[in-house]
PDB file of all heavy atoms in Angstrom:
ATOM      1  N   LYS U1223       6.209 -98.337  26.550  1.00 97.00           N
ATOM      2  CA  LYS U1223       6.809 -97.190  27.238  1.00 97.00           C
ATOM      3  C   LYS U1223       8.034 -97.698  27.988  1.00 97.00           C
ATOM      4  O   LYS U1223       7.910 -98.510  28.908  1.00 97.00           O
ATOM      5  CB  LYS U1223       5.803 -96.562  28.198  1.00 97.00           C
ATOM      6  CG  LYS U1223       4.626 -95.916  27.486  1.00 97.00           C
ATOM      7  CD  LYS U1223       3.665 -95.247  28.466  1.00 97.00           C
ATOM      8  CE  LYS U1223       2.512 -94.580  27.722  1.00 97.00           C
ATOM      9  NZ  LYS U1223       1.556 -93.935  28.661  1.00 97.00           N
ATOM     10  N   PHE U1224       9.207 -97.225  27.566  1.00 98.00           N
ATOM     11  CA  PHE U1224      10.467 -97.756  28.073  1.00 98.00           C
ATOM     12  C   PHE U1224      11.217 -96.678  28.839  1.00 98.00           C
ATOM     13  O   PHE U1224      11.603 -95.650  28.289  1.00 98.00           O
ATOM     14  CB  PHE U1224      11.324 -98.266  26.905  1.00 98.00           C
ATOM     15  CG  PHE U1224      12.541 -99.023  27.306  1.00 98.00           C
ATOM     16  CD1 PHE U1224      12.495-100.392  27.505  1.00 98.00           C
ATOM     17  CD2 PHE U1224      13.751 -98.364  27.475  1.00 98.00           C
ATOM     18  CE1 PHE U1224      13.638-101.096  27.877  1.00 98.00           C
ATOM     19  CE2 PHE U1224      14.899 -99.055  27.847  1.00 98.00           C
ATOM     20  CZ  PHE U1224      14.841-100.425  28.054  1.00 98.00           C
ATOM     21  N   ASP U1225      11.418 -96.916  30.118  1.00 97.00           N
ATOM     22  CA  ASP U1225      12.153 -95.986  30.991  1.00 97.00           C
ATOM     23  C   ASP U1225      13.037 -96.830  31.906  1.00 97.00           C
ATOM     24  O   ASP U1225      12.657 -97.165  33.025  1.00 97.00           O
ATOM     25  CB  ASP U1225      11.166 -95.140  31.799  1.00 97.00           C
ATOM     26  CG  ASP U1225      11.866 -94.173  32.747  1.00 97.00           C
ATOM     27  OD1 ASP U1225      13.094 -94.016  32.640  1.00 97.00           O
ATOM     28  OD2 ASP U1225      11.179 -93.583  33.605  1.00 97.00           O
ATOM     29  N   ALA U1226      14.195 -97.222  31.394  1.00 97.00           N
ATOM     30  CA  ALA U1226      15.068 -98.132  32.131  1.00 97.00           C
ATOM     31  C   ALA U1226      16.528 -97.762  31.929  1.00 97.00           C
ATOM     32  O   ALA U1226      16.907 -97.215  30.882  1.00 97.00           O
ATOM     33  CB  ALA U1226      14.834 -99.582  31.678  1.00 97.00           C
ATOM     34  N   ALA U1227      17.344 -98.076  32.915  1.00 96.00           N
ATOM     35  CA  ALA U1227      18.786 -97.858  32.816  1.00 96.00           C
ATOM     36  C   ALA U1227      19.407 -99.032  32.067  1.00 96.00           C
ATOM     37  O   ALA U1227      19.266-100.188  32.489  1.00 96.00           O
ATOM     38  CB  ALA U1227      19.391 -97.738  34.206  1.00 96.00           C
ATOM     39  N   VAL U1228      20.074 -98.736  30.962  1.00 97.00           N
ATOM     40  CA  VAL U1228      20.643 -99.804  30.141  1.00 97.00           C
ATOM     41  C   VAL U1228      22.149 -99.941  30.323  1.00 97.00           C
ATOM     42  O   VAL U1228      22.762-100.855  29.772  1.00 97.00           O
ATOM     43  CB  VAL U1228      20.298 -99.589  28.657  1.00 97.00           C
ATOM     44  CG1 VAL U1228      18.786 -99.555  28.464  1.00 97.00           C
ATOM     45  CG2 VAL U1228      20.939 -98.318  28.122  1.00 97.00           C
ATOM     46  N   HIS U1229      22.750 -99.036  31.078  1.00 95.00           N
ATOM     47  CA  HIS U1229      24.167 -99.124  31.431  1.00 95.00           C
ATOM     48  C   HIS U1229      24.272 -99.148  32.957  1.00 95.00           C
ATOM     49  O   HIS U1229      23.297 -98.882  33.672  1.00 95.00           O
ATOM     50  CB  HIS U1229      24.946 -97.924  30.886  1.00 95.00           C
ATOM     51  CG  HIS U1229      24.786 -97.725  29.410  1.00 95.00           C
ATOM     52  ND1 HIS U1229      25.221 -98.642  28.475  1.00 95.00           N
ATOM     53  CD2 HIS U1229      24.234 -96.698  28.699  1.00 95.00           C
ATOM     54  CE1 HIS U1229      24.956 -98.197  27.261  1.00 95.00           C
ATOM     55  NE2 HIS U1229      24.345 -97.021  27.375  1.00 95.00           N
ATOM     56  N   ARG U1230      25.446 -99.467  33.450  1.00 89.00           N
ATOM     57  CA  ARG U1230      25.690 -99.447  34.891  1.00 89.00           C
ATOM     58  C   ARG U1230      26.763 -98.414  35.203  1.00 89.00           C
ATOM     59  O   ARG U1230      27.562 -98.062  34.346  1.00 89.00           O
ATOM     60  CB  ARG U1230      26.124-100.832  35.393  1.00 89.00           C
ATOM     61  CG  ARG U1230      25.015-101.871  35.342  1.00 89.00           C
ATOM     62  CD  ARG U1230      25.515-103.227  35.787  1.00 89.00           C
ATOM     63  NE  ARG U1230      24.455-104.229  35.731  1.00 89.00           N
ATOM     64  CZ  ARG U1230      24.657-105.534  35.740  1.00 89.00           C
ATOM     65  NH1 ARG U1230      25.912-106.008  35.792  1.00 89.00           N
ATOM     66  NH2 ARG U1230      23.646-106.377  35.698  1.00 89.00           N
ATOM     67  N   ARG U1231      26.761 -97.973  36.433  1.00 81.00           N
ATOM     68  CA  ARG U1231      27.768 -96.998  36.856  1.00 81.00           C
ATOM     69  C   ARG U1231      28.411 -97.434  38.164  1.00 81.00           C
ATOM     70  O   ARG U1231      27.737 -97.926  39.069  1.00 81.00           O
ATOM     71  CB  ARG U1231      27.148 -95.618  37.008  1.00 81.00           C
ATOM     72  CG  ARG U1231      26.745 -94.991  35.677  1.00 81.00           C
ATOM     73  CD  ARG U1231      26.442 -93.515  35.784  1.00 81.00           C
ATOM     74  NE  ARG U1231      26.199 -92.933  34.474  1.00 81.00           N
ATOM     75  CZ  ARG U1231      27.142 -92.484  33.666  1.00 81.00           C
ATOM     76  NH1 ARG U1231      28.416 -92.547  34.053  1.00 81.00           N
ATOM     77  NH2 ARG U1231      26.837 -91.968  32.492  1.00 81.00           N
ATOM     78  N   ALA U1232      29.716 -97.255  38.214  1.00 79.00           N
ATOM     79  CA  ALA U1232      30.485 -97.455  39.440  1.00 79.00           C
ATOM     80  C   ALA U1232      31.149 -96.122  39.736  1.00 79.00           C
ATOM     81  O   ALA U1232      32.172 -95.785  39.137  1.00 79.00           O
ATOM     82  CB  ALA U1232      31.513 -98.567  39.269  1.00 79.00           C
ATOM     83  N   GLY U1233      30.522 -95.372  40.610  1.00 80.00           N
ATOM     84  CA  GLY U1233      30.995 -94.008  40.818  1.00 80.00           C
ATOM     85  C   GLY U1233      30.746 -93.191  39.573  1.00 80.00           C
ATOM     86  O   GLY U1233      29.631 -93.108  39.079  1.00 80.00           O
ATOM     87  N   ARG U1234      31.810 -92.616  39.024  1.00 81.00           N
ATOM     88  CA  ARG U1234      31.680 -91.831  37.796  1.00 81.00           C
ATOM     89  C   ARG U1234      31.972 -92.646  36.547  1.00 81.00           C
ATOM     90  O   ARG U1234      31.916 -92.125  35.439  1.00 81.00           O
ATOM     91  CB  ARG U1234      32.624 -90.632  37.857  1.00 81.00           C
ATOM     92  CG  ARG U1234      32.291 -89.634  38.970  1.00 81.00           C
ATOM     93  CD  ARG U1234      33.227 -88.442  38.916  1.00 81.00           C
ATOM     94  NE  ARG U1234      32.911 -87.471  39.959  1.00 81.00           N
ATOM     95  CZ  ARG U1234      33.574 -86.327  40.135  1.00 81.00           C
ATOM     96  NH1 ARG U1234      34.610 -86.047  39.339  1.00 81.00           N
ATOM     97  NH2 ARG U1234      33.230 -85.490  41.094  1.00 81.00           N
ATOM     98  N   THR U1235      32.291 -93.909  36.735  1.00 84.00           N
ATOM     99  CA  THR U1235      32.651 -94.751  35.597  1.00 84.00           C
ATOM    100  C   THR U1235      31.426 -95.477  35.051  1.00 84.00           C
ATOM    101  O   THR U1235      30.699 -96.135  35.799  1.00 84.00           O
ATOM    102  CB  THR U1235      33.706 -95.796  36.007  1.00 84.00           C
ATOM    103  OG1 THR U1235      34.863 -95.130  36.519  1.00 84.00           O
ATOM    104  CG2 THR U1235      34.096 -96.653  34.806  1.00 84.00           C
ATOM    105  N   LYS U1236      31.202 -95.345  33.744  1.00 84.00           N
ATOM    106  CA  LYS U1236      30.078 -96.031  33.116  1.00 84.00           C
ATOM    107  C   LYS U1236      30.504 -97.403  32.623  1.00 84.00           C
ATOM    108  O   LYS U1236      31.529 -97.562  31.978  1.00 84.00           O
ATOM    109  CB  LYS U1236      29.534 -95.212  31.937  1.00 84.00           C
ATOM    110  CG  LYS U1236      28.330 -95.868  31.272  1.00 84.00           C
ATOM    111  CD  LYS U1236      27.656 -94.939  30.263  1.00 84.00           C
ATOM    112  CE  LYS U1236      28.429 -94.880  28.973  1.00 84.00           C
ATOM    113  NZ  LYS U1236      27.681 -94.113  27.933  1.00 84.00           N
ATOM    114  N   MET U1237      29.712 -98.408  32.945  1.00 86.00           N
ATOM    115  CA  MET U1237      29.931 -99.759  32.444  1.00 86.00           C
ATOM    116  C   MET U1237      28.940 -99.979  31.303  1.00 86.00           C
ATOM    117  O   MET U1237      27.741-100.170  31.551  1.00 86.00           O
ATOM    118  CB  MET U1237      29.714-100.783  33.560  1.00 86.00           C
ATOM    119  CG  MET U1237      30.626-100.606  34.759  1.00 86.00           C
ATOM    120  SD  MET U1237      30.195-101.715  36.134  1.00 86.00           S
ATOM    121  CE  MET U1237      30.373-103.311  35.345  1.00 86.00           C
ATOM    122  N   PRO U1238      29.400 -99.931  30.049  1.00 89.00           N
ATOM    123  CA  PRO U1238      28.474-100.047  28.916  1.00 89.00           C
ATOM    124  C   PRO U1238      27.762-101.400  28.890  1.00 89.00           C
ATOM    125  O   PRO U1238      28.366-102.448  29.127  1.00 89.00           O
ATOM    126  CB  PRO U1238      29.400 -99.893  27.699  1.00 89.00           C
ATOM    127  CG  PRO U1238      30.619 -99.224  28.225  1.00 89.00           C
ATOM    128  CD  PRO U1238      30.785 -99.735  29.624  1.00 89.00           C
ATOM    129  N   GLY U1239      26.490-101.341  28.615  1.00 92.00           N
ATOM    130  CA  GLY U1239      25.694-102.561  28.469  1.00 92.00           C
ATOM    131  C   GLY U1239      24.811-102.437  27.241  1.00 92.00           C
ATOM    132  O   GLY U1239      25.152-102.871  26.165  1.00 92.00           O
ATOM    133  N   GLY U1240      23.682-101.775  27.434  1.00 94.00           N
ATOM    134  CA  GLY U1240      22.789-101.533  26.309  1.00 94.00           C
ATOM    135  C   GLY U1240      21.624-102.494  26.280  1.00 94.00           C
ATOM    136  O   GLY U1240      21.653-103.568  26.879  1.00 94.00           O
ATOM    137  N   VAL U1241      20.582-102.082  25.552  1.00 97.00           N
ATOM    138  CA  VAL U1241      19.428-102.934  25.312  1.00 97.00           C
ATOM    139  C   VAL U1241      19.408-103.279  23.834  1.00 97.00           C
ATOM    140  O   VAL U1241      19.880-102.507  22.991  1.00 97.00           O
ATOM    141  CB  VAL U1241      18.118-102.214  25.745  1.00 97.00           C
ATOM    142  CG1 VAL U1241      17.850-100.976  24.882  1.00 97.00           C
ATOM    143  CG2 VAL U1241      16.933-103.157  25.730  1.00 97.00           C
ATOM    144  N   HIS U1242      18.892-104.468  23.500  1.00 98.00           N
ATOM    145  CA  HIS U1242      18.930-104.961  22.129  1.00 98.00           C
ATOM    146  C   HIS U1242      17.518-105.316  21.678  1.00 98.00           C
ATOM    147  O   HIS U1242      16.892-106.216  22.243  1.00 98.00           O
ATOM    148  CB  HIS U1242      19.826-106.203  22.028  1.00 98.00           C
ATOM    149  CG  HIS U1242      21.248-105.969  22.430  1.00 98.00           C
ATOM    150  ND1 HIS U1242      22.279-105.865  21.523  1.00 98.00           N
ATOM    151  CD2 HIS U1242      21.807-105.797  23.642  1.00 98.00           C
ATOM    152  CE1 HIS U1242      23.426-105.648  22.169  1.00 98.00           C
ATOM    153  NE2 HIS U1242      23.152-105.604  23.456  1.00 98.00           N
ATOM    154  N   PHE U1243      17.045-104.617  20.654  1.00 98.00           N
ATOM    155  CA  PHE U1243      15.778-104.936  20.008  1.00 98.00           C
ATOM    156  C   PHE U1243      16.089-105.406  18.592  1.00 98.00           C
ATOM    157  O   PHE U1243      16.693-104.667  17.811  1.00 98.00           O
ATOM    158  CB  PHE U1243      14.869-103.709  19.934  1.00 98.00           C
ATOM    159  CG  PHE U1243      14.333-103.224  21.254  1.00 98.00           C
ATOM    160  CD1 PHE U1243      15.044-102.290  21.999  1.00 98.00           C
ATOM    161  CD2 PHE U1243      13.124-103.692  21.750  1.00 98.00           C
ATOM    162  CE1 PHE U1243      14.546-101.819  23.217  1.00 98.00           C
ATOM    163  CE2 PHE U1243      12.615-103.233  22.961  1.00 98.00           C
ATOM    164  CZ  PHE U1243      13.331-102.300  23.698  1.00 98.00           C
ATOM    165  N   THR U1244      15.690-106.615  18.247  1.00 98.00           N
ATOM    166  CA  THR U1244      15.926-107.123  16.893  1.00 98.00           C
ATOM    167  C   THR U1244      14.632-107.730  16.348  1.00 98.00           C
ATOM    168  O   THR U1244      13.983-108.531  17.008  1.00 98.00           O
ATOM    169  CB  THR U1244      17.038-108.191  16.880  1.00 98.00           C
ATOM    170  OG1 THR U1244      16.709-109.248  17.779  1.00 98.00           O
ATOM    171  CG2 THR U1244      18.375-107.600  17.276  1.00 98.00           C
ATOM    172  N   GLY U1245      14.273-107.296  15.151  1.00 98.00           N
ATOM    173  CA  GLY U1245      13.098-107.853  14.496  1.00 98.00           C
ATOM    174  C   GLY U1245      11.799-107.600  15.228  1.00 98.00           C
ATOM    175  O   GLY U1245      10.874-108.427  15.154  1.00 98.00           O
ATOM    176  N   CYS U1246      11.688-106.465  15.919  1.00 98.00           N
ATOM    177  CA  CYS U1246      10.506-106.178  16.738  1.00 98.00           C
ATOM    178  C   CYS U1246       9.581-105.176  16.061  1.00 98.00           C
ATOM    179  O   CYS U1246      10.017-104.293  15.327  1.00 98.00           O
ATOM    180  CB  CYS U1246      10.923-105.627  18.106  1.00 98.00           C
ATOM    181  SG  CYS U1246      11.825-106.797  19.134  1.00 98.00           S
ATOM    182  N   ARG U1247       8.290-105.303  16.335  1.00 98.00           N
ATOM    183  CA  ARG U1247       7.299-104.320  15.915  1.00 98.00           C
ATOM    184  C   ARG U1247       7.147-103.328  17.057  1.00 98.00           C
ATOM    185  O   ARG U1247       6.681-103.675  18.141  1.00 98.00           O
ATOM    186  CB  ARG U1247       5.964-104.998  15.616  1.00 98.00           C
ATOM    187  CG  ARG U1247       6.009-105.976  14.446  1.00 98.00           C
ATOM    188  CD  ARG U1247       4.691-106.708  14.312  1.00 98.00           C
ATOM    189  NE  ARG U1247       3.581-105.765  14.136  1.00 98.00           N
ATOM    190  CZ  ARG U1247       2.309-106.066  14.425  1.00 98.00           C
ATOM    191  NH1 ARG U1247       2.009-107.252  14.948  1.00 98.00           N
ATOM    192  NH2 ARG U1247       1.356-105.168  14.225  1.00 98.00           N
ATOM    193  N   MET U1248       7.504-102.053  16.811  1.00 98.00           N
ATOM    194  CA  MET U1248       7.596-101.078  17.897  1.00 98.00           C
ATOM    195  C   MET U1248       6.941 -99.742  17.542  1.00 98.00           C
ATOM    196  O   MET U1248       7.320 -98.695  18.038  1.00 98.00           O
ATOM    197  CB  MET U1248       9.067-100.863  18.262  1.00 98.00           C
ATOM    198  CG  MET U1248       9.775-102.131  18.682  1.00 98.00           C
ATOM    199  SD  MET U1248      11.539-101.901  18.964  1.00 98.00           S
ATOM    200  CE  MET U1248      11.502-100.816  20.384  1.00 98.00           C
ATOM    201  N   GLN U1249       5.918 -99.799  16.695  1.00 97.00           N
ATOM    202  CA  GLN U1249       5.242 -98.559  16.339  1.00 97.00           C
ATOM    203  C   GLN U1249       4.696 -97.871  17.590  1.00 97.00           C
ATOM    204  O   GLN U1249       4.177 -98.517  18.499  1.00 97.00           O
ATOM    205  CB  GLN U1249       4.085 -98.831  15.366  1.00 97.00           C
ATOM    206  CG  GLN U1249       4.489 -99.487  14.060  1.00 97.00           C
ATOM    207  CD  GLN U1249       4.303-100.989  14.069  1.00 97.00           C
ATOM    208  OE1 GLN U1249       4.743-101.669  14.988  1.00 97.00           O
ATOM    209  NE2 GLN U1249       3.637-101.502  13.042  1.00 97.00           N
ATOM    210  N   PHE U1250       4.837 -96.554  17.607  1.00 98.00           N
ATOM    211  CA  PHE U1250       4.307 -95.707  18.680  1.00 98.00           C
ATOM    212  C   PHE U1250       4.941 -95.993  20.048  1.00 98.00           C
ATOM    213  O   PHE U1250       4.396 -95.611  21.080  1.00 98.00           O
ATOM    214  CB  PHE U1250       2.774 -95.841  18.790  1.00 98.00           C
ATOM    215  CG  PHE U1250       2.054 -95.425  17.538  1.00 98.00           C
ATOM    216  CD1 PHE U1250       1.594 -96.385  16.630  1.00 98.00           C
ATOM    217  CD2 PHE U1250       1.845 -94.089  17.253  1.00 98.00           C
ATOM    218  CE1 PHE U1250       0.940 -96.006  15.471  1.00 98.00           C
ATOM    219  CE2 PHE U1250       1.189 -93.699  16.087  1.00 98.00           C
ATOM    220  CZ  PHE U1250       0.731 -94.661  15.193  1.00 98.00           C
ATOM    221  N   SER U1251       6.067 -96.646  20.075  1.00 98.00           N
ATOM    222  CA  SER U1251       6.771 -96.849  21.343  1.00 98.00           C
ATOM    223  C   SER U1251       7.392 -95.532  21.805  1.00 98.00           C
ATOM    224  O   SER U1251       7.693 -94.648  20.994  1.00 98.00           O
ATOM    225  CB  SER U1251       7.845 -97.929  21.213  1.00 98.00           C
ATOM    226  OG  SER U1251       8.753 -97.611  20.173  1.00 98.00           O
ATOM    227  N   ILE U1252       7.582 -95.401  23.107  1.00 98.00           N
ATOM    228  CA  ILE U1252       8.102 -94.164  23.694  1.00 98.00           C
ATOM    229  C   ILE U1252       9.304 -94.497  24.574  1.00 98.00           C
ATOM    230  O   ILE U1252       9.188 -95.303  25.508  1.00 98.00           O
ATOM    231  CB  ILE U1252       7.026 -93.450  24.532  1.00 98.00           C
ATOM    232  CG1 ILE U1252       5.818 -93.091  23.655  1.00 98.00           C
ATOM    233  CG2 ILE U1252       7.602 -92.191  25.177  1.00 98.00           C
ATOM    234  CD1 ILE U1252       4.646 -92.524  24.447  1.00 98.00           C
ATOM    235  N   PHE U1253      10.438 -93.879  24.269  1.00 98.00           N
ATOM    236  CA  PHE U1253      11.648 -94.082  25.065  1.00 98.00           C
ATOM    237  C   PHE U1253      11.919 -92.811  25.865  1.00 98.00           C
ATOM    238  O   PHE U1253      12.074 -91.731  25.300  1.00 98.00           O
ATOM    239  CB  PHE U1253      12.835 -94.430  24.169  1.00 98.00           C
ATOM    240  CG  PHE U1253      12.787 -95.839  23.654  1.00 98.00           C
ATOM    241  CD1 PHE U1253      11.945 -96.174  22.593  1.00 98.00           C
ATOM    242  CD2 PHE U1253      13.547 -96.834  24.233  1.00 98.00           C
ATOM    243  CE1 PHE U1253      11.871 -97.478  22.125  1.00 98.00           C
ATOM    244  CE2 PHE U1253      13.481 -98.144  23.782  1.00 98.00           C
ATOM    245  CZ  PHE U1253      12.639 -98.470  22.727  1.00 98.00           C
ATOM    246  N   ALA U1254      11.971 -92.952  27.173  1.00 97.00           N
ATOM    247  CA  ALA U1254      12.246 -91.801  28.025  1.00 97.00           C
ATOM    248  C   ALA U1254      13.613 -91.230  27.687  1.00 97.00           C
ATOM    249  O   ALA U1254      14.550 -91.980  27.351  1.00 97.00           O
ATOM    250  CB  ALA U1254      12.191 -92.205  29.495  1.00 97.00           C
ATOM    251  N   PRO U1255      13.795 -89.911  27.750  1.00 97.00           N
ATOM    252  CA  PRO U1255      15.110 -89.324  27.483  1.00 97.00           C
ATOM    253  C   PRO U1255      16.170 -89.908  28.420  1.00 97.00           C
ATOM    254  O   PRO U1255      16.063 -89.799  29.633  1.00 97.00           O
ATOM    255  CB  PRO U1255      14.876 -87.827  27.759  1.00 97.00           C
ATOM    256  CG  PRO U1255      13.415 -87.628  27.570  1.00 97.00           C
ATOM    257  CD  PRO U1255      12.775 -88.891  28.056  1.00 97.00           C
ATOM    258  N   ALA U1256      17.160 -90.572  27.854  1.00 96.00           N
ATOM    259  CA  ALA U1256      18.173 -91.256  28.664  1.00 96.00           C
ATOM    260  C   ALA U1256      19.359 -91.596  27.777  1.00 96.00           C
ATOM    261  O   ALA U1256      19.409 -91.267  26.594  1.00 96.00           O
ATOM    262  CB  ALA U1256      17.590 -92.514  29.308  1.00 96.00           C
ATOM    263  N   ASP U1257      20.332 -92.293  28.348  1.00 96.00           N
ATOM    264  CA  ASP U1257      21.555 -92.677  27.648  1.00 96.00           C
ATOM    265  C   ASP U1257      21.375 -94.055  27.012  1.00 96.00           C
ATOM    266  O   ASP U1257      21.377 -95.068  27.704  1.00 96.00           O
ATOM    267  CB  ASP U1257      22.722 -92.693  28.638  1.00 96.00           C
ATOM    268  CG  ASP U1257      24.047 -93.016  27.964  1.00 96.00           C
ATOM    269  OD1 ASP U1257      24.076 -93.159  26.727  1.00 96.00           O
ATOM    270  OD2 ASP U1257      25.062 -93.127  28.688  1.00 96.00           O
ATOM    271  N   TYR U1258      21.207 -94.081  25.698  1.00 97.00           N
ATOM    272  CA  TYR U1258      21.068 -95.332  24.957  1.00 97.00           C
ATOM    273  C   TYR U1258      22.266 -95.553  24.032  1.00 97.00           C
ATOM    274  O   TYR U1258      22.144 -96.149  22.973  1.00 97.00           O
ATOM    275  CB  TYR U1258      19.774 -95.317  24.137  1.00 97.00           C
ATOM    276  CG  TYR U1258      18.524 -95.121  24.952  1.00 97.00           C
ATOM    277  CD1 TYR U1258      17.877 -93.885  24.999  1.00 97.00           C
ATOM    278  CD2 TYR U1258      17.988 -96.172  25.697  1.00 97.00           C
ATOM    279  CE1 TYR U1258      16.736 -93.694  25.760  1.00 97.00           C
ATOM    280  CE2 TYR U1258      16.837 -95.991  26.463  1.00 97.00           C
ATOM    281  CZ  TYR U1258      16.216 -94.758  26.491  1.00 97.00           C
ATOM    282  OH  TYR U1258      15.079 -94.571  27.249  1.00 97.00           O
ATOM    283  N   GLU U1259      23.421 -95.066  24.446  1.00 96.00           N
ATOM    284  CA  GLU U1259      24.615 -95.192  23.617  1.00 96.00           C
ATOM    285  C   GLU U1259      24.881 -96.649  23.256  1.00 96.00           C
ATOM    286  O   GLU U1259      24.857 -97.546  24.114  1.00 96.00           O
ATOM    287  CB  GLU U1259      25.834 -94.614  24.333  1.00 96.00           C
ATOM    288  CG  GLU U1259      27.101 -94.663  23.501  1.00 96.00           C
ATOM    289  CD  GLU U1259      28.283 -93.997  24.174  1.00 96.00           C
ATOM    290  OE1 GLU U1259      28.111 -93.444  25.289  1.00 96.00           O
ATOM    291  OE2 GLU U1259      29.378 -94.016  23.582  1.00 96.00           O
ATOM    292  N   ALA U1260      25.136 -96.885  21.969  1.00 96.00           N
ATOM    293  CA  ALA U1260      25.493 -98.206  21.433  1.00 96.00           C
ATOM    294  C   ALA U1260      24.395 -99.244  21.593  1.00 96.00           C
ATOM    295  O   ALA U1260      24.657-100.451  21.519  1.00 96.00           O
ATOM    296  CB  ALA U1260      26.796 -98.708  22.060  1.00 96.00           C
ATOM    297  N   CYS U1261      23.155 -98.824  21.813  1.00 98.00           N
ATOM    298  CA  CYS U1261      22.047 -99.776  21.869  1.00 98.00           C
ATOM    299  C   CYS U1261      21.681-100.227  20.460  1.00 98.00           C
ATOM    300  O   CYS U1261      22.062 -99.612  19.460  1.00 98.00           O
ATOM    301  CB  CYS U1261      20.837 -99.147  22.564  1.00 98.00           C
ATOM    302  SG  CYS U1261      21.052 -98.938  24.356  1.00 98.00           S
ATOM    303  N   VAL U1262      20.922-101.314  20.374  1.00 98.00           N
ATOM    304  CA  VAL U1262      20.614-101.926  19.087  1.00 98.00           C
ATOM    305  C   VAL U1262      19.107-101.906  18.838  1.00 98.00           C
ATOM    306  O   VAL U1262      18.322-102.371  19.677  1.00 98.00           O
ATOM    307  CB  VAL U1262      21.137-103.379  19.038  1.00 98.00           C
ATOM    308  CG1 VAL U1262      20.663-104.091  17.779  1.00 98.00           C
ATOM    309  CG2 VAL U1262      22.657-103.393  19.130  1.00 98.00           C
ATOM    310  N   PHE U1263      18.726-101.376  17.685  1.00 98.00           N
ATOM    311  CA  PHE U1263      17.340-101.371  17.216  1.00 98.00           C
ATOM    312  C   PHE U1263      17.371-101.817  15.759  1.00 98.00           C
ATOM    313  O   PHE U1263      17.175-101.015  14.850  1.00 98.00           O
ATOM    314  CB  PHE U1263      16.733 -99.971  17.323  1.00 98.00           C
ATOM    315  CG  PHE U1263      16.802 -99.350  18.693  1.00 98.00           C
ATOM    316  CD1 PHE U1263      17.925 -98.626  19.085  1.00 98.00           C
ATOM    317  CD2 PHE U1263      15.755 -99.474  19.596  1.00 98.00           C
ATOM    318  CE1 PHE U1263      18.000 -98.036  20.338  1.00 98.00           C
ATOM    319  CE2 PHE U1263      15.818 -98.890  20.854  1.00 98.00           C
ATOM    320  CZ  PHE U1263      16.944 -98.168  21.221  1.00 98.00           C
ATOM    321  N   GLU U1264      17.631-103.070  15.520  1.00 98.00           N
ATOM    322  CA  GLU U1264      17.876-103.549  14.167  1.00 98.00           C
ATOM    323  C   GLU U1264      16.703-104.345  13.612  1.00 98.00           C
ATOM    324  O   GLU U1264      16.084-105.143  14.316  1.00 98.00           O
ATOM    325  CB  GLU U1264      19.145-104.402  14.139  1.00 98.00           C
ATOM    326  CG  GLU U1264      20.417-103.602  14.441  1.00 98.00           C
ATOM    327  CD  GLU U1264      21.687-104.406  14.350  1.00 98.00           C
ATOM    328  OE1 GLU U1264      21.604-105.657  14.315  1.00 98.00           O
ATOM    329  OE2 GLU U1264      22.765-103.781  14.313  1.00 98.00           O
ATOM    330  N   SER U1265      16.412-104.082  12.318  1.00 98.00           N
ATOM    331  CA  SER U1265      15.320-104.772  11.607  1.00 98.00           C
ATOM    332  C   SER U1265      13.999-104.633  12.346  1.00 98.00           C
ATOM    333  O   SER U1265      13.194-105.569  12.411  1.00 98.00           O
ATOM    334  CB  SER U1265      15.670-106.259  11.409  1.00 98.00           C
ATOM    335  OG  SER U1265      16.871-106.401  10.676  1.00 98.00           O
TER     336      SER U1265
END
């Protein structure tokens, strides 16, 4: 169950970061509704 901020903000400016999952087993995982722009879920 993942509910975390993956970007940072300075006022109204977003500092892109993202979370990276590679080669992971993630069946039945739950991601809270949030901003995951440009995040990685590969293989």
Side-chain angles (χ1 to χ4, degrees):
K1223 293 182 179 179
F1224 189 89
D1225 179 10
V1228 301
H1229 305 296
R1230 291 177 180 163
R1231 290 194 174 274
R1234 296 183 179 180
T1235 302
K1236 182 170 78 173
M1237 300 173 59
V1241 65
H1242 300 255
F1243 291 90
T1244 56
C1246 295
R1247 296 174 58 203
M1248 302 175 66
Q1249 300 97 310
F1250 299 100
S1251 56
I1252 300 173
F1253 285 78
D1257 183 4
Y1258 302 102
E1259 182 176 358
C1261 288
V1262 172
F1263 305 87
E1264 294 183 346
S1265 301

